[in-house]
C-alpha cells in the first residue's frame, strides 16, 4: 500500500500462524486500534459532563448531535432506537478512512474484509428488524403487489437484497483502496508537493463515504419498518 512502514506491523507475526495475510493482519490490527481509540475518547468526553460543554465533550456533542438529527430526518422518531448502530458505523468508518492519511497507518476500510463485515451487519440488522416489526408478514416485502407475479418477485427481491451487501462492500472498499493506489502512484512520481492535493481530496472522500454508508444503512432499515404494499 502507500505506507512502506506501518506502525504495529509486528502484530503481523502474531497473526500469521492463524492464516492471516499481511493485508488482512494490518486491517485487523488497525481495526482494533481504532475501536480502542474510540472507546477511550468516548470515556474521556463523557467523564465530566457539563451543562456548558467544552473540549472533547463539545466536539463529541456536535458530531453525535449531527448524526442524530440526520437519523431523525431520514427515519423519523421511530428511528431513534437504531441511533447507536448508525452512529457507531459512521464514526468507525470515518476514522478508519481518515487514519490512512497519516503516514505509517493503514486504513481498515481499504481491506474488503472490513467493509464486508460492516455491510453484513447492516444486512442482518435490516431483516431482524423487519421480522421483529412485521412477524411472518415480513415476507410480503419480497412478494410484490400482484399475486401471480409473487414467485418471480421473490427471487428478484432476494437478489436485490443480497446485492445491497455487495454494493455497500465494494463502494466503500473501492473508493478507499483506489485512493490508496492513487496516492502511491503520486508518491512515486513526486513524493513532496504533488500528493498534497490528493491527500486533501482524501479527507473529502473519507467524509463522503462515511456519510453514504450511514445514509444507505438508515434507508435499508427504514424500508424494513414500512408496511409492504
Amino acid at each position: 500500500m502507500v505506507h512502506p512502514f506501518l506502525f504495529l506491523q509486528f502484530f503481523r507475526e502474531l497473526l500469521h500462524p492463524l492464516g492471516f495475510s499481511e493485508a488482512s493482519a494490518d486491517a485487523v490490527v488497525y481495526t482494533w486500534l481504532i475501536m480502542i481509540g474510540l472507546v477511550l475518547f468516548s470515556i474521556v468526553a463523557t467523564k465530566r459532563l457539563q451543562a456548558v460543554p467544552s473540549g472533547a465533550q463539545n466536539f463529541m456533542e456536535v458530531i453525535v448531535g449531527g448524526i442524530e438529527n440526520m437519523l431523525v430526518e431520514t427515519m423519523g422518531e421511530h428511528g431513534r432506537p437504531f441511533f447507536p448502530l448508525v452512529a457507531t458505523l459512521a464514526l468507525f468508518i470515518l476514522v478508519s478512512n481518515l487514519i490512512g492519511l497519516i503516514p505509517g497507518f493503514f486504513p481498515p476500510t481499504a481491506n474488503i474484509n472490513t467493509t464486508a463485515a460492516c455491510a453484513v451487519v447492516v444486512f442482518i440488522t435490516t431483516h431482524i428488524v423487519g421480522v421483529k416489526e412485521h412477524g411472518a408478514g415480513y415476507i410480503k416485502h419480497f412478494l410484490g403487489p400482484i399475486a401471480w407475479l409473487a414467485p418471480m418477485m421473490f427471487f428478484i427481491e432476494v437478489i436485490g437484497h443480497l446485492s445491497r451487501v455487495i454494493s455497500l462492500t465494494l463502494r466503500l472498499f473501492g473508493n478507499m483502496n483506489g485512493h490508496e493506489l492513487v496516492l502511491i502512484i503520486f508518491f512515486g512520481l513526486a513524493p513532496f508537493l504533488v500528493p498534497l492535493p490528493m491527500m486533501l481530496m482524501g479527507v473529502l472522500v473519507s467524509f463522503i463515504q462515511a456519510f453514504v454508508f450511514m445514509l444507505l444503512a438508515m434507508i435499508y432499515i427504514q424500508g424494513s419498518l414500512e408496511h409492504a404494499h
Side-chain angles (χ1 to χ4, degrees):
M1 301 303 291
V2 173
H3 315 288
F5 174 79
L6 295 175
F7 293 108
L8 306 180
Q9 65 178 352
F10 56 87
F11 282 104
R12 287 178 180 173
E13 299 300 326
L14 298 178
L15 295 175
H16 183 71
L18 299 177
F20 286 86
S21 64
E22 288 190 359
S24 296
D26 290 335
V28 171
V29 171
Y30 284 92
T31 293
W32 276 99
L33 176 66
I34 291 167
M35 289 191 297
I36 293 172
L38 287 174
V39 169
L40 293 178
F41 187 80
S42 299
I43 292 174
V44 171
T46 57
K47 187 175 183 180
R48 297 179 181 178
L49 295 178
Q50 300 175 348
V52 180
S54 61
Q57 179 187 346
N58 186 43
F59 178 75
M60 286 302 295
E61 284 192 7
V62 171
I63 295 177
V64 172
I67 296 175
E68 183 181 19
N69 291 336
M70 185 178 302
L71 182 140
V72 172
E73 291 176 1
T74 304
M75 302 181 65
E77 290 294 330
H78 60 275
R80 289 188 182 275
F82 308 104
F83 171 75
L85 172 64
V86 172
T88 299
L89 284 171
L91 290 174
F92 171 74
I93 292 173
L94 177 60
V95 176
S96 296
N97 293 347
L98 291 174
I99 200 172
L101 299 175
I102 304 174
F105 286 81
F106 177 81
T109 44
N111 184 282
I112 197 169
N113 296 303
T114 304
T115 59
C118 294
V120 169
V121 168
V122 174
F123 176 80
I124 293 175
T125 301
T126 297
H127 296 294
I128 290 177
V129 169
V131 172
K132 184 177 179 180
E133 180 73 15
H134 306 289
Y138 182 59
I139 193 67
K140 295 179 181 178
H141 281 73
F142 298 85
L143 301 180
I146 303 175
W148 64 273
L149 287 177
M152 181 178 68
M153 289 300 299
F154 177 79
F155 288 106
I156 293 175
E157 288 293 331
V158 168
I159 294 173
H161 281 260
L162 291 176
S163 68
R164 293 177 178 180
V165 179
I166 300 174
S167 175
L168 288 173
T169 299
L170 295 183
R171 180 186 295 107
L172 181 56
F173 164 72
N175 279 278
M176 299 315 302
N177 189 59
H179 178 259
E180 289 284 295
L181 293 176
V182 170
L183 275 181
I184 194 171
I185 292 173
F186 279 110
F187 268 113
L189 295 175
F192 296 105
L193 297 179
V194 176
L196 290 178
M198 294 304 302
M199 295 184 71
L200 294 176
M201 185 177 295
V203 175
L204 179 62
V205 171
S206 298
F207 277 92
I208 291 176
Q209 290 306 311
F211 171 78
V212 169
F213 197 101
M214 176 182 66
L215 181 62
L216 289 176
M218 291 189 291
I219 291 174
Y220 293 156
I221 296 173
Q222 170 66 17
S224 69
L225 291 171
E226 296 176 349
H227 292 283
H229 300 290

